[in-house]
Amino acid sequence: MSKNRNLLFVPALFFIFTLLSGCGSNDADTAAQGTQGKPALDMALPKSLTGGAQSAEKPGKLLKTNASGIEGPCAFVGNNDEDPFVNGYRMTRFMVSAVATWTCIGDVLINMADFVPHDGAIYETENDTQSPDYDAEAPTHYSVTDDSDVQTTIRLYYAYDRSAPPAPGTVPQFYISWETGAEGHVKGRLIIDGAGTNPDDRDPEDPTMIRMDFSETDAEKIADMVLRFDEGNHWAEGFRIRVRKDLNANPLRQVFLARGRLEMKAQFLPTPGISEIPTVQMYTVSDRLGQGAAIAEFQDLSLPLLLNFLGGNHLGNYLFTKNDRYFFEDDSDWDWIQKTISTATYRGGRTTPAAGGSWIPFNPSLDMIISALNLDSDYFTGTKCADVNDDCTDLLNAVFVDGFAEQEPNQGADPGDWRSTAIANPVYLETIYPNGQNWDGAFDFIFNP
């Protein structure tokens, strides 16, 4: 898959990083500590997984309020305009940096609650819609309530004039609620109305609703985030990332497990003869320092292989499932890269001539492709990837094995350590939906522990 095609992922998901630019930090050597019974969402994710905290030219404005005055970067290096699926490390950084950002913002809000009234009244922030310095990306009002002795809720409101503030009971655009039990266990939920926080400056492909459920016990910390897209995004239905930290694990074995699932509406590249809907699944493990392994599995993905547009040379359209395994060190360098096409079928469209092609200009024929890719001499004939629905797994494996469209080639060897065991039988997320079936109730601004 080409870099340009893969970058279709980035604009639609980039929103979560530009929206959540509050404050916080992330360091593998600094464990999150709650104070005075407050939860701390930070998982101390290693920098090799997030890319580290990203400094900003200007401070984030998410929590620019009279009471808090809290500013600073909550963005991570995973937030950059690159192809996240070139390899398993980039995919991991892209996934995990999102969770690092969310948990950072959650901690900012939870700590802010110490400095504002908990009376449920709706207060103005410094962000006045009538001011020349008005920032549509910052809230105009906020409120905090104590729902019980152990549960607190914060609500942020955007784009309200001071002459017409939100009334009690008005649905906020940003919500976080958490409960801390007597045993110190924590449950909570954060919800963002992505369309409502800055409706005048959002891409139609951005997610419209965002939610993160978080919890902590004596044994584990979990952050489970989901993003919903609407009709403005023509190919993505929703995205889910779930990160678990084992609080009792050997720090030099599996400590973190991150799983992701991207549910699609259509192929990234609409292709004649292909109506299947793809699914992208992700599975990553890491130790405390950031050494780990990742799998990216693309199921039912289309791949048109146009060789020469002006010459009308098209090798055909293919439907395939691809499994990328990437073992990485704590400095992000690779240990082992193994990309495998498990299934591939031909779906028509081939116009490549049998012979008489050229490399320069690039307009190869089938005999040249057979030679270059070390395929059987009778490939593209009989039942060997010749007719529609024929098996073309050997062809696509040969295409990807040495690198294709700026992807890294297969290289290295299985290190045979704990990582090999940890990803031998991955259990992927089965659904993007919190209720397992649909979006019903997923983004209701309510939390009942």
Side-chain angles (χ1 to χ4, degrees):
M1 189 185 305
S2 72
K3 181 175 182 179
N4 289 336
R5 293 169 190 151
N6 278 337
L7 284 176
L8 290 171
F9 284 100
V10 177
L13 300 181
F14 190 78
F15 169 78
I16 61 178
F17 302 105
T18 57
L19 171 67
L20 304 180
S21 56
C23 70
S25 64
N26 184 11
D27 195 313
D29 297 326
T30 304
Q33 299 291 332
T35 60
Q36 299 178 346
K38 297 195 308 294
L41 310 188
D42 180 19
M43 289 181 156
L45 292 158
K47 289 182 178 179
S48 68
L49 297 189
T50 64
Q54 178 173 282
S55 61
E57 293 183 1
K58 61 179 181 179
K61 302 176 182 178
L62 180 63
L63 301 176
K64 206 171 184 182
T65 69
N66 286 323
S68 67
I70 302 174
E71 298 179 348
C74 232
F76 292 81
V77 176
N79 167 19
N80 48 28
D81 192 20
E82 64 179 16
D83 177 1
F85 293 103
V86 162
N87 59 49
Y89 170 69
R90 279 198 193 173
M91 179 208 72
T92 296
R93 193 176 71 183
F94 177 74
M95 247 198 336
V96 177
S97 62
V99 172
T101 297
W102 279 52
T103 53
C104 170
I105 289 294
D107 283 336
V108 171
L109 287 165
I110 289 169
N111 287 314
M112 184 196 77
D114 280 351
F115 304 99
V116 297
H118 288 212
D119 56 7
I122 297 176
Y123 293 91
E124 298 172 351
T125 72
E126 293 178 349
N127 193 33
D128 184 353
T129 58
Q130 304 304 311
S131 169
D133 298 328
Y134 169 65
D135 185 351
E137 297 181 1
T140 57
H141 296 77
Y142 70 93
S143 71
V144 180
T145 59
D146 285 330
D147 304 297
S148 72
D149 291 340
V150 294
Q151 183 176 357
T152 300
T153 300
I154 301 173
R155 297 171 177 87
L156 301 181
Y157 305 87
Y158 290 69
Y160 281 92
D161 292 338
R162 292 186 174 182
S163 60
T170 299
V171 176
Q173 286 80 37
F174 199 117
Y175 170 99
I176 182 171
S177 184
W178 69 94
E179 176 192 79
T180 303
E183 68 282 4
H185 295 176
V186 175
K187 293 180 180 179
R189 179 170 300 162
L190 182 153
I191 300 176
I192 304 172
D193 177 355
T197 51
N198 187 11
D200 297 331
D201 187 26
R202 67 177 297 272
D203 191 306
E205 292 194 346
D206 288 341
T208 55
M209 298 299 295
I210 307 168
R211 163 176 159 176
M212 180 179 73
D213 292 348
F214 53 89
S215 64
E216 180 176 3
T217 68
D218 296 335
E220 64 182 10
K221 269 190 171 185
I222 292 176
D224 190 354
M225 56 178 278
V226 294
L227 300 90
R228 180 183 183 179
F229 302 92
D230 64 9
E231 63 275 4
N233 192 302
H234 301 294
W235 51 269
E237 169 70 15
F239 188 44
R240 185 174 189 174
I241 305 168
R242 189 177 192 273
V243 177
R244 177 185 183 271
K245 180 180 181 180
D246 186 338
L247 299 178
N248 299 316
N250 181 333
L252 299 181
R253 295 293 186 267
Q254 180 181 329
V255 174
F256 298 99
L257 170 63
R259 297 185 292 166
R261 184 181 182 93
L262 182 61
E263 201 74 43
M264 310 293 293
K265 299 175 183 175
Q267 293 285 348
F268 297 112
L269 291 179
T271 303
I274 294 177
S275 59
E276 287 85 350
I277 304 299
T279 297
V280 181
Q281 301 185 114
M282 294 152 274
Y283 191 91
T284 295
V285 296
S286 169
D287 66 14
R288 185 68 178 78
L289 300 179
Q291 183 186 55
I295 302 174
E297 182 163 292
F298 305 85
Q299 297 177 343
D300 292 333
L301 201 62
S302 65
L303 181 64
L305 291 177
L306 179 63
L307 303 182
N308 187 298
F309 176 76
L310 294 178
N313 186 346
H314 198 301
L315 191 57
N317 302 314
Y318 303 87
L319 183 74
F320 71 99
T321 292
K322 178 168 171 278
N323 184 283
D324 289 1
R325 292 176 180 244
Y326 193 95
F327 287 61
F328 51 87
E329 292 289 347
D330 56 13
D331 62 358
S332 81
D333 199 7
W334 59 269
D335 273 339
W336 183 41
I337 302 172
Q338 184 67 31
K339 303 173 188 284
T340 304
I341 306 297
S342 57
T343 63
T345 56
Y346 173 53
R347 290 299 181 87
R350 184 177 299 147
T351 60
T352 306
S358 64
W359 291 120
I360 302 176
F362 186 74
N363 194 27
S365 51
L366 295 179
D367 59 341
M368 298 173 65
I369 293 170
I370 288 171
S371 177
L373 298 180
N374 294 316
L375 298 170
D376 292 342
S377 59
D378 60 346
Y379 210 76
F380 301 118
T381 64
T383 60
K384 294 184 178 180
C385 196
D387 295 322
V388 173
N389 293 325
D390 277 356
D391 181 4
C392 295
T393 304
D394 288 346
L395 170 64
L396 290 200
N397 269 314
V399 166
F400 280 99
V401 68
D402 292 325
F404 172 67
E406 302 181 18
Q407 294 203 20
E408 293 176 313
N410 288 348
Q411 52 194 313
D414 186 344
D417 57 20
W418 67 267
R419 294 171 291 174
S420 302
T421 303
I423 68 168
N425 297 292
V427 178
Y428 296 112
L429 293 175
E430 295 182 354
T431 178
I432 60 171
Y433 305 113
N435 69 5
Q437 298 178 337
N438 52 45
W439 294 119
D440 291 352
F443 303 102
D444 292 345
F445 286 80
I446 188 171
F447 177 61
N448 296 316

